[in-house]
Amino acid sequence: MKNKSLKRLGLITNNTIRQVLISVFGMVIPFLVIRFSSKEIWGSFVAVYLFSLFAQQVINWGNKEYLLRKFSENPAKISSLFSENLITRFPLVILFSIIGFFLFSGSYGFWITVWLIGRFWIHSVEALVLYQKEFDKSIGIEVLSFIGFGVSFYFLKCGITVYSLLIIYSTYIFFKGLLYILLFKKFIFFQKISFQIDYFKTSFSFFLLSVLGFLGSKIDVYIVEHFGNRIITADYQIINSLLVFVMSVTAFIYSPFTKMIYRNNDDVIKKTQKTLAYFGLLIVPVSLLVIHFILKFYLKTNFDTTFYLIAFLYVYPSYVYGLDIVNLFKKHQEKIVVKNLVFGVIANTVLSSLFLYLQYGIIGALSGSAIAQLFVLILFKLKINREA
């Protein structure tokens, strides 16, 4: 029993390190650009960044959640399930690559395509990383590819432009995706594999969950980019990334055991949920203190106590209702999750737009997101209480 507990702790630790590295590397990049260039350069790059983020959400089409459940139900068919998923979703890469050429110039469109292909590979294998628990190898890939980015950026940092940044970043993503595909090449099996049009219908709820979760955490950034100037956009994109990272910590903990959560009873899930909620009361304030120093010394931006109180209300609810989502998926009640998140996205969009229109700036956008998160929390808890 002791060895089993140590093994579980090791898996949690390795996956947490992996996820932290992915998030930290993603957050370091804008700091590097701002440090060696300007906020204006990063603020201009955010437009391309936001397009690619939305494109990858659609391209993913809920594949991670769908495959994790399918792998658990059919462990002998992992290769065929994974390969069919690759073939079925690839036309979406082509579609958004074409859109990229229309929205941006031809040269930009080419590198956006390179970016999307790399992201397609990375997100395609995420279910395999979790199911096979290949966390150590994933850490190696993340570190190696980021070193490649760092070396490239170092030689071009003095004359960095939006276009040169796009080239470096797209190459970095493509190289990382290629390494992941090579790691799991034994699961790629195209013989007797065909395009599965029914996949889009079967996994539609997973797709909606993914897109709504994304919009719930990023719609305010899109709105700020629309309303604000490049400096405000640069600041808020970084603030949002830091806060979303803290929200994601709870998922880092339980994601290695998703297949076991699907098999456990409600009592076990409730106990785990209480533990995560108490854990959030510790980790969120500590994280916000760290974020305070990051914003003060690196972004040269100061906020008062009100900002951090609002930030807490934005971040903490995810520690309370996170496992509710997994549990509802376990019971095949995805429609309830989708409905609650739709209400959250609508509330976030309306409130953030209103507060920005009223000139409340960054605090206004964050307030809209925080109120929306509390609204989503209430909806999930009302559902749970009705079933109790």
Side-chain angles (χ1 to χ4, degrees):
M1 182 65 71
K2 183 178 179 180
N3 290 336
K4 189 175 181 180
S5 298
L6 288 174
K7 185 177 180 180
R8 286 187 178 183
L9 180 60
L11 289 172
I12 292 174
T13 301
N14 288 344
N15 187 52
T16 301
I17 292 173
R18 178 181 79 96
Q19 296 284 8
V20 168
L21 283 177
I22 292 172
S23 299
V24 168
F25 289 159
M27 291 184 289
V28 164
I29 290 172
F31 284 111
L32 288 175
V33 175
I34 291 172
R35 168 68 178 80
F36 292 102
S37 182
S38 66
K39 287 185 179 180
E40 286 84 352
I41 292 292
W42 180 253
S44 299
F45 184 75
V46 166
V48 182
Y49 183 75
L50 290 177
F51 167 76
S52 298
L53 280 181
F54 178 75
Q56 75 188 41
Q57 290 299 315
V58 180
I59 291 169
N60 288 343
W61 201 273
N63 79 96
K64 184 182 76 173
E65 293 79 10
Y66 173 84
L67 287 177
L68 282 173
R69 188 161 78 178
K70 285 296 184 180
F71 289 169
S72 297
E73 296 171 350
N74 303 285
K77 297 182 179 180
I78 292 178
S79 294
S80 59
L81 289 167
F82 175 69
S83 300
E84 284 179 351
N85 190 272
L86 276 178
I87 290 176
T88 301
R89 290 185 301 106
F90 187 71
L92 294 175
V93 178
I94 299 174
L95 172 63
F96 278 95
S97 296
I98 294 172
I99 294 174
F101 274 98
F102 277 102
L103 293 180
F104 305 94
S105 65
S107 56
Y108 274 61
F110 171 79
W111 289 107
I112 289 172
T113 299
V114 172
W115 184 342
L116 294 179
I117 292 173
R119 280 294 182 196
F120 172 68
W121 287 338
I122 293 167
H123 289 282
S124 293
V125 303
E126 180 65 14
L128 287 173
V129 172
L130 293 172
Y131 193 83
Q132 300 296 125
K133 296 181 174 60
E134 295 284 10
F135 305 132
D136 291 340
K137 292 178 182 177
S138 177
I139 290 172
I141 289 173
E142 294 294 335
V143 172
L144 179 62
S145 55
F146 187 75
I147 289 174
F149 171 86
V151 171
S152 301
F153 185 85
Y154 176 79
F155 286 108
L156 294 173
K157 67 180 187 294
C158 294
I160 200 75
T161 64
V162 175
Y163 184 63
S164 61
L165 178 60
L166 175 61
I167 294 174
I168 298 170
Y169 192 85
S170 299
T171 304
Y172 156 60
I173 295 298
F174 183 88
F175 176 68
K176 180 164 66 170
L178 181 61
L179 291 178
Y180 272 114
I181 284 294
L182 291 175
L183 174 62
F184 292 107
K185 63 181 180 181
K186 67 180 180 181
F187 292 99
I188 300 176
F189 179 74
F190 291 135
Q191 292 181 349
K192 299 181 181 179
I193 298 298
S194 60
F195 180 86
Q196 299 293 320
I197 188 65
D198 289 343
Y199 165 76
F200 294 105
K201 180 180 179 181
T202 305
S203 62
F204 186 66
S205 294
F206 291 104
F207 163 69
L208 278 181
L209 174 68
S210 177
V211 170
L212 290 171
F214 166 76
L215 291 176
S217 63
K218 294 294 182 184
I219 192 66
D220 47 339
V221 183
Y222 284 88
I223 295 169
V224 168
E225 197 273 336
H226 176 73
F227 277 94
N229 59 34
R230 291 175 180 176
I231 293 178
I232 293 175
T233 299
D235 284 341
Y236 193 75
Q237 189 276 326
I238 293 172
I239 291 169
N240 173 268
S241 295
L242 291 169
L243 295 177
V244 170
F245 168 72
V246 181
M247 294 171 69
S248 302
V249 171
T250 181
F252 298 167
I253 297 172
Y254 67 71
S255 59
F257 306 105
T258 301
K259 66 179 181 180
M260 286 185 280
I261 291 172
Y262 276 116
R263 297 168 183 169
N264 281 324
N265 58 41
D266 289 346
D267 289 337
V268 173
I269 293 175
K270 287 178 181 178
K271 290 179 181 178
T272 305
Q273 193 169 33
K274 287 182 179 179
T275 301
L276 289 174
Y278 287 128
F279 177 72
L281 291 175
L282 172 64
I283 195 64
V284 175
V286 172
S287 299
L288 291 178
L289 180 61
V290 174
I291 289 174
H292 165 72
F293 289 111
I294 291 174
L295 298 182
K296 180 177 181 180
F297 293 108
Y298 287 92
L299 284 189
K300 309 299 182 184
T301 303
N302 286 306
F303 294 102
D304 59 19
T305 305
T306 302
F307 171 86
Y308 292 100
L309 176 60
I310 296 170
F312 178 85
L313 297 176
Y314 172 59
V315 172
Y316 183 69
S318 63
Y319 285 77
V320 181
Y321 71 73
L323 277 182
D324 286 333
I325 293 177
V326 178
N327 197 27
L328 288 168
F329 265 73
K330 171 190 169 185
K331 298 176 180 178
H332 297 270
Q333 296 180 356
E334 295 92 344
K335 290 182 179 179
I336 295 172
V337 178
V338 168
K339 181 182 70 174
N340 290 350
L341 294 183
V342 165
F343 287 137
V345 170
I346 293 173
N348 195 347
T349 302
V350 172
L351 292 172
S352 294
S353 298
L354 175 63
F355 292 148
L356 283 167
Y357 178 77
L358 295 174
Q359 303 295 317
Y360 285 103
I362 287 176
I363 290 182
L366 186 60
S367 296
S369 299
I371 295 171
Q373 279 290 304
L374 292 171
F375 183 48
V376 170
L377 172 62
I378 292 170
L379 289 175
F380 276 114
K381 291 310 168 185
L382 287 174
K383 169 62 181 175
I384 298 301
N385 290 336
R386 282 196 299 267
E387 292 184 346

